[in-house]
Every structure is written in C-alpha cells, then in structure tokens.
Amino acid sequence: MLDLNVFLTLAVAVLLLVLPGLLLSLSLRMRGWAALAASPLLTFGLVLIGILVVGLLGLDWTPWSAGAVAAVVVAGVAAGTAWRARRRPAEVGAPGDRPDDGGRLWAVLAGVGTLVGAAIGFRTVVVGTGGLASPNQGFDALFHVNLVETITRTGQVGPTVAGELNGYPEGASVYPDALHAMASLVDQFDGTSLTSINALMACIPLVAGLGLVGLLRELGLFRAAAVAPITLAATTGYPFDLIWRGPIWVFVFGITFVPAFLVLLLRTLERRDVALTATFGVSTAALALIHPSAALSAAVFGACLVVGRWVQRTSPVGRDLLVLLPAAVLAAVLALPLIGKALVDTSGGTVVDWPAVQSAGEALGELLLYNYDSEYPQLWLAVPALVGIAVGWRTRGLRWWYAATGIVLVLCILAAAYEGPLVQLLTGPWWNDRFRFEGLVFLGLAVFAAIGVVQIGGLVGALLHTVSARLGDRVAVLRTSAVAVGVVVVVVLMGVLSGFYVQENRERMETAYVPGGGGAVSTVDVTAFRVLGDLAGRGPVLNDPNDGSAWMWSLGGVQPVFGAALTKPVKPPLPDDRQVVVDGLNCLDSSERVREAVEDLGVRYVYSSEATILGGLTPNEGFRDLASVASLRPVYEQDGATIYEIDPVPLQESPDGSCGLS
C-alpha cells in the first residue's frame, strides 16, 4: 500500500509540474493533448520568470511568491490572447488551432496508457528509493539535495546560489537550478529536500509520457501515442539507469522535456503567433536552466524536425525562420545572463574524457537489444522496437525521428568506443558520457517500440476480426475495434510476461539507493546526525567534503561547512579559510593559520566518517588522522562515525606527523 506521506508528496509534485503550465497553455488557446503535453515545460517557463522576478524584487522563493508571479503571467497572457482574438478572430481549422483527432477510442487509450506509464514509473522509483526517503550514494547526489536545502532555508534562488554550498563568494560558482527551485516548492508544500527531488524523479515517466502522446498525435500516430508512455516507462536505459547512476538527475530530468519541446515547436511554427513564439523562447531558456546539455539535446531533435519539414516541403524555410530566430534570440537573452558563466568559464568546471570501454558493435548491439550495461536484454521491448524501426519509415512525418535517434546513437557509440579530438569535440557538451547518450537513444527507441507494438497488435486484431466475422453480428463491437483490442492484448501480454520490468529496474536502482544505509551515508551516520543536532543545533559543523557527512543537512537538520563534495583539482578555488582546513585541519595543534580559519568559520564541532563517497582514503589530507589531534576532543564515537568538539590545546612549536601542511 502506498504510504500517505509518499502519496501526498507525489501528488504535490504532479500538480506543481502540470497545473501552472496547463493554465498557461489554455490561455494560449492550445487545446487537447497538445496543451497537456506542453504543460510541464510551460510550467518551467513560469519558474524561469519567477526566478527573475523574485530576484529583482528581493523576495524569498516560496510557493506564494512563485505562485503570484505565475498567476500574473497567466492572467496577462489570457487577457492579451482574448484581446487579440476579438481583433482578429481565428479562422476555423487554422493551423495550430485544430482539435486533436484520431477517434475517441484512441484518445481514451492514450489517457489509459499515460496513467499506466505513470504508475509503472511511480512504483519503480518509490520502491527503489525506499519510499522516496533513501539517499542516493552517488557523487553528485549531495550537491543536488543540499542545493534544494539551501534554496528552501535561505529563500534565495538563481544559479549563483549554488556557490553557497561550499562558501564561494557570490557569482564565483554558477549552476543551473530550475529543477532545484521546483523541488524546493515541493519541499515547502509537503516533504523534505530529499523526498521532493526523489518525487520529481518519479514523475519523469509521466512527464515524458505526456510529451510523447502529444507529439505522436501531432504527427498523426494516434495508435502509437497510446502505447509510447508504457514502452518508455518500462525501459531500463531511460529513465531509471540515469536516475540512479551518478546520479545525473538534472540531465535525465531535462531530456524528459524533449517531446514537450517538440510539441511546442510544432505548434509555434504552425500558428506563427507572437505570444506563442515568445512563450516558446521562454520555455527554451527554462530548459537550459534545467540543464544546458538537455536544451542542446532538444535542439538536436528540433533541428531534425525543422529540416524534415523543409526537405518534405511542408513549410517554407523563410516562414519557419521568421519564428525560430526571434524565439532563439529571446531564449539567449534570458538564459545567458543566468548561466552564461557556467557555459563559457572553463575555470568553473571540469573537462571530462571517459575512456573507451566497448567496441562499436558491442555498443550498437546492446542499444538495439535494450541490453546496455545490463546482464539481460529487455526482449519484450527490443523486439517491438526492431519491428517499429522496420515499418515506421513508411510514415513520412516520422522520418526526421530516425535522423534524430540516429544522431544520438552515433554519439553514444563514439563516446563508448572511440577516443580522439574529434570525439571529444562532438561528445564534449555531454561530458563525453555514453550513459547520457544512452538515455537519449532509448527515448528515441520508445517511439519505435510503440509503433512495433501497434504493428503486432494489428496482426492480432486482424485475427480477431476474422474470428468475429465468423461469429456474426453478436460480436460486432469486437470487429469494429479489432485493432484496439489487439493492441491492448499485446500490451497486457507484455505486462504479464515481463511485469513491465518493474522488479528489475527497482533492483538496479537499489544499487545506489541502498536500503538500510551503506556507502557514503549509512544508518550509523543518520544516528550520529541526530546526536550532532543535539550538540550543535542547526550548525554550522566542520566536515570532510568527500566523506558523505554533508548529508547531515537534509537528514539531520544540521548545516555543514561543506555542502558538496570536491573534485580534484578544486575548481573554482575555495576561499582561503576553507582551503586551509581541507589541507590542514589535522595541524590544529601547531598552526595558528589553521586556528584562525576555524575561528573565522564559526564552528565548534567537527564530524568525521570512515566511509567516503568514492571509497578509499579521503583525498582531503587535512581530514586524515583526526584522532591524533589533541585539540579535537571526541564526544561521540560509533562504528566509524565520530563527532569532535574543538578544544584547542596550547600551540605546539612544530607540527606532528599527521599534519598535512608543509
């Protein structure tokens, strides 16, 4: 049974993701599945505007301030659209204003498919994350959860707030934080920083499913639209592998909006409306504020769509550019001041070049067989996907999807199997990470798998039609709905035989969301955090950046000095006092410089754990051998978790052997 608290957190997350954007899409006179599909991306457009407005007005980021901004924007758009409609009534059947078609039956089945896909996603993530409450043990998890904690506790929002986690001066460290801003709103309504961000991850199949339904119905693939949310939600490679691996939450969440981006792009190109064009530009900037490489991924798919229109001569080049160029300029004007530093300042990030680990054939085979970096293939998805690839080409309006999927597939193979400057140039914007490309490939394959299911279901339907014809008029309904029944039969059979891979995907997630603790943070740490709260209150407490102790904030309510792990080399450089303790806290007995740094940080306690995020000895020399430091008096010790009270002894003339400073 679903726990009430989990249900409430999920419900809040769904409503905040969908409802504001849906109101905006309706005010723009979008209707039907297109309005619903675009709504989560439009919500983040409102989040972007909210971040700008509350920053300019000096307001705290709360549901009320964000909601007020959204309400004003929606009301203004609705009023403007109504005024324009009175002056220039829309023509009946005008492009972009057409009602969704395809029959009521397939529209209903699309709704059912979306709900089933959402249920698969909810069950997989909720169980895999221990009821949304288990922390991910990956390197980046601390940063993301504590960034949500920072926004919630300080009321500050915007990409520069990320620097506060490790005490950087304002503007020294910039990170796109639209996802974290949304998680903070969920947190403030119902939940914690951890459960809120886990809940948003659980919503990925729902958001992506809505987008795929809207996109495929725009392309006339009404039958495949009913199946795509299910084939997506059952896939290991996207989203679940990207949720637990790393974790690369901002990227996997960002590419979830690619289908919604394409729906909005199509409607914008068709209608050529000023308000919709501006909204598309704002939404594109918002996608970049979730993650720039997710916006780049959407641009790859979008470019293939637009070029496909030009190749098939369904739209003049100049006509499309008159819409695209102003939207692109607006997106740049909004996004670059917020995250431009993160994009162009190489001193603020790390260049990553992962080694080649596969042959090209291995990478291609594992992708097409739904077997990427896993023990067994997902044959109940792979077979329909291969069928869909074979038959989908007959649909002219879908051929651009082949191009987009092919591009990300090639990039995945390059990242997995090849080295060299050209490979780094092409894959660098995605951190040369084959798993990021894996997610994009499986997003593309979800459409082909849906087409394959429909094709197989059509064969089953033909058989049912033959049977019904022999039985006569008594089963006339079966005869007229044979294809739909056949598709339902195939989907149900997939569910019975594979369980939609919920158990397998849940078990893979649990390798990072370790039940009962383990890894960087364990039940031992959680118990120690409670003791630390009694001793230090809300903090701050000095901690090793790389031992997982920063979880004390979200799990124990105690603010750490270092809220995120450090990479080597540290970029950008830490403030002097923080670098001193990282390098030489264990020199506290002999270094006046270290004592001054500790005093400047305003701390009374130090937390230390034997476990480190990446395993092995901590890379921060100042936090090694703390037990030998006389000025650190242990007040709590349990299974490798130690709380020290800072109690300086008279300065020694020379450092002892444990001192990390030269």
Side-chain angles (χ1 to χ4, degrees):
M1 180 179 292
L2 190 64
D3 180 83
L4 179 59
N5 290 331
V6 172
F7 175 81
L8 289 175
T9 303
L10 286 175
V12 168
V14 171
L15 288 174
L16 287 179
L17 282 170
V18 175
L19 186 58
L22 181 60
L23 293 175
L24 179 56
S25 64
L26 293 176
S27 71
L28 289 164
R29 300 181 66 191
M30 295 178 64
R31 298 293 183 265
W33 278 102
L36 195 57
S39 59
L41 180 56
L42 294 178
T43 292
F44 273 89
L46 294 171
V47 168
L48 170 63
I49 296 173
I51 289 173
L52 293 172
V53 171
V54 300
L56 288 173
L57 298 180
L59 302 174
D60 286 344
W61 181 253
T62 68
W64 314 117
S65 62
V69 173
V72 170
V73 172
V74 171
V77 171
T81 303
W83 176 81
R84 186 175 182 276
R86 286 195 299 269
R87 291 177 58 88
R88 294 177 57 188
E91 297 178 8
V92 177
D97 293 318
R98 63 184 185 279
D100 286 324
D101 201 355
R104 289 185 179 180
L105 176 59
W106 289 105
V108 170
L109 289 178
V112 173
T114 302
L115 292 176
V116 171
I120 293 170
F122 288 153
R123 179 167 178 77
T124 302
V125 176
V126 168
V127 178
T129 60
L132 304 180
S134 293
N136 186 297
Q137 303 289 347
F139 187 87
D140 289 341
L142 268 172
F143 170 81
H144 295 302
V145 174
N146 280 346
L147 182 49
V148 177
E149 195 77 26
T150 300
I151 294 171
T152 299
R153 288 176 180 264
T154 66
Q156 300 177 46
V157 68
T160 59
V161 76
E164 293 192 12
L165 291 181
N166 282 338
Y168 289 109
E170 184 176 358
S173 180
V174 174
Y175 195 88
D177 69 337
L179 166 63
H180 311 87
M182 173 60 74
S184 175
L185 296 180
V186 178
D187 179 4
Q188 293 178 63
F189 265 119
D190 183 272
T192 66
S193 55
L194 175 59
T195 60
S196 297
I197 207 165
N198 283 344
L200 290 178
M201 295 303 107
C203 290
I204 286 176
L206 170 62
V207 173
L210 285 172
L212 286 177
V213 170
L215 176 62
L216 292 176
R217 289 179 69 87
E218 287 286 297
L219 299 175
L221 296 166
F222 303 105
R223 296 174 179 180
V227 182
I230 300 174
T231 58
L232 177 87
T235 301
T236 297
Y238 172 79
F240 305 112
D241 266 3
L242 274 65
I243 292 175
W244 70 260
R245 192 185 299 278
I248 45 179
W249 286 333
V250 284
F251 179 78
V252 64
F253 193 74
I255 64 173
T256 299
F257 295 90
V258 168
F261 172 87
L262 297 173
V263 171
L264 199 57
L265 172 60
L266 275 171
R267 284 297 172 102
T268 302
L269 291 174
E270 291 175 346
R271 191 184 292 182
R272 299 179 65 201
D273 176 78
V274 173
L276 192 55
T277 300
T279 302
F280 177 64
V282 172
S283 299
T284 302
L287 186 53
L289 195 59
I290 296 174
H291 201 272
S293 62
L296 180 59
S297 303
V300 170
F301 279 79
C304 291
L305 185 156
V306 173
V307 172
R309 286 163 58 91
W310 296 344
V311 170
Q312 295 178 12
R313 298 183 179 179
T314 58
S315 179
V317 176
R319 183 177 184 270
D320 284 352
L321 291 178
L322 285 175
V323 174
L324 292 174
L325 291 178
V329 170
L330 178 59
V333 167
L334 291 173
L336 287 179
L338 292 170
I339 59 171
K341 181 179 178 62
L343 295 175
V344 302
D345 186 357
T346 55
S347 68
T350 302
V351 176
V352 178
D353 185 9
W354 297 100
V357 294
Q358 295 177 296
S359 69
E362 288 172 338
L364 177 62
E366 289 186 7
L367 288 168
L368 293 180
L369 290 178
Y370 279 68
N371 193 33
Y372 203 74
D373 202 49
S374 60
E375 189 172 359
Y376 301 106
Q378 292 183 286
L379 289 177
W380 296 105
L381 293 171
V383 171
L386 293 172
V387 171
I389 291 172
V391 304
W393 188 259
R394 295 178 299 189
T395 304
R396 285 174 54 84
L398 188 67
R399 291 177 184 175
W400 64 270
W401 190 261
Y402 281 81
T405 305
I407 288 172
V408 294
L409 186 144
V410 169
L411 290 173
C412 185
I413 293 173
L414 289 176
Y418 297 99
E419 301 282 1
L422 180 60
V423 173
Q424 181 60 42
L425 175 66
L426 294 174
T427 64
W430 290 269
W431 282 263
N432 184 234
D433 187 352
R434 61 192 176 105
F435 294 111
R436 295 177 194 250
F437 294 119
E438 170 205 10
L440 289 166
V441 171
F442 282 119
L443 175 60
L445 289 178
V447 170
F448 293 116
I451 293 171
V453 169
V454 170
Q455 183 72 16
I456 298 169
L459 298 176
V460 174
L463 178 61
L464 293 173
H465 184 277
T466 301
V467 171
S468 67
R470 292 180 179 179
L471 293 176
D473 294 338
R474 287 174 296 177
V475 286
V477 174
L478 175 62
R479 187 162 63 247
T480 57
S481 307
V483 175
V485 173
V487 170
V488 170
V489 168
V490 173
V491 171
V492 171
L493 185 63
M494 286 175 58
V496 171
L497 295 175
S498 70
F500 296 120
Y501 298 100
V502 169
Q503 180 174 346
E504 292 86 345
N505 292 334
R506 173 185 61 78
E507 289 175 351
R508 284 174 71 84
M509 290 194 65
E510 287 177 349
T511 62
Y513 296 86
V514 185
V521 59
S522 67
T523 51
V524 171
D525 290 302
V526 174
T527 300
F529 293 160
R530 288 196 287 267
V531 176
L532 185 63
D534 293 336
L535 293 170
R538 301 182 65 173
V541 168
L542 187 55
N543 64 304
D544 183 344
N546 291 76
D547 69 356
S549 56
W551 281 109
M552 68 175 70
W553 205 3
S554 60
L555 298 181
V558 183
Q559 183 176 0
V561 169
F562 294 99
L566 300 177
T567 58
K568 292 290 184 178
V570 179
K571 294 184 179 180
L574 286 170
D576 289 342
D577 55 353
R578 292 172 184 254
Q579 190 62 58
V580 165
V581 296
V582 166
D583 293 336
L585 177 62
N586 49 16
C587 303
L588 191 61
D589 291 343
S590 58
S591 173
E592 181 67 32
R593 183 179 168 205
V594 172
R595 293 195 175 193
E596 290 175 356
V598 169
E599 185 175 350
D600 289 343
L601 291 171
V603 294
R604 293 178 50 230
Y605 293 91
V606 176
Y607 185 92
S608 177
S609 177
E610 289 183 355
T612 56
I613 296 175
L614 297 180
L617 195 66
T618 177
N620 304 309
E621 293 187 7
F623 285 89
R624 298 176 185 174
D625 301 318
L626 294 183
S628 65
V629 180
S631 297
L632 296 178
R633 180 169 57 86
V635 293
Y636 176 88
E637 292 181 274
Q638 185 70 41
D639 297 331
T642 306
I643 302 172
Y644 298 98
E645 184 176 10
I646 300 173
D647 187 12
V649 298
L651 277 174
Q652 301 174 2
E653 293 185 0
S654 59
D656 58 27
S658 66
C659 178
L661 293 178
S662 58

